[in-house]
Each structure stands twice: as structure tokens, then as C-alpha cells.
């Protein structure tokens, strides 16, 4: 089912991203299992921010 413009504005569909550990500046993409694509390890804090990890972006 396609999402209308109004639906997108009310409930945007975005991939969930996360920071790992104490580094709150580097934002990682998460795979289907909820783990960073680049393999980073640590406590995840989920965000709706743009991915900034070079390894996640190239994967």
C-alpha cells in the first residue's frame, strides 16, 4: 500500500538508526536484527537521524 503525502507527514517512515556507546556523534544504520551494519559493538541508543558512519553508508 502506498503512503499518501498526508500520512508521510503525520507518521514518517524512516529507517531506525542508532549511536553506539559513548559516541553520540556517529550514527549507524541498523540491519534487520537491530545491530549496526558496520559491526560496531556497545549499548545502542536509537535515533531518527541521518547515518554518518562511513562503514555503514558504504555497506
Amino acid at each position: 500500500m502506498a503512503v499518501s503525502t498526508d500520512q508521510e507527514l503525520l507518521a514518517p517512515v524512516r529507517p531506525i538508526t542508532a549511536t553506539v556507546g559513548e559516541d553520540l556523534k556517529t550514527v549507524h544504520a541498523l540491519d534487520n536484527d537491530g545491530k549496526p551494519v558496520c559491526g560496531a559493538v556497545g549499548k545502542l541508543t536509537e535515533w531518527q537521524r541521518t547515518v554518518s558512519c562511513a562503514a555503514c553508508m558504504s555497506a
Side-chain angles (χ1 to χ4, degrees):
M1 178 173 131
V3 176
S4 72
T5 303
D6 290 338
Q7 289 171 323
E8 173 66 19
L9 290 173
L10 293 173
V13 178
R14 308 249 190 288
I16 300 298
T17 58
T19 55
V20 178
E22 298 293 320
D23 181 5
L24 299 179
K25 292 185 178 183
T26 306
V27 181
H28 301 271
L30 301 180
D31 62 15
N32 292 335
D33 295 329
K35 297 179 182 175
V37 173
C38 67
V41 179
K43 180 180 181 240
L44 298 178
T45 304
E46 291 186 358
W47 300 89
Q48 282 191 337
R49 292 173 35 197
T50 304
V51 174
S52 63
C53 172
C56 287
M57 288 191 289
S58 68

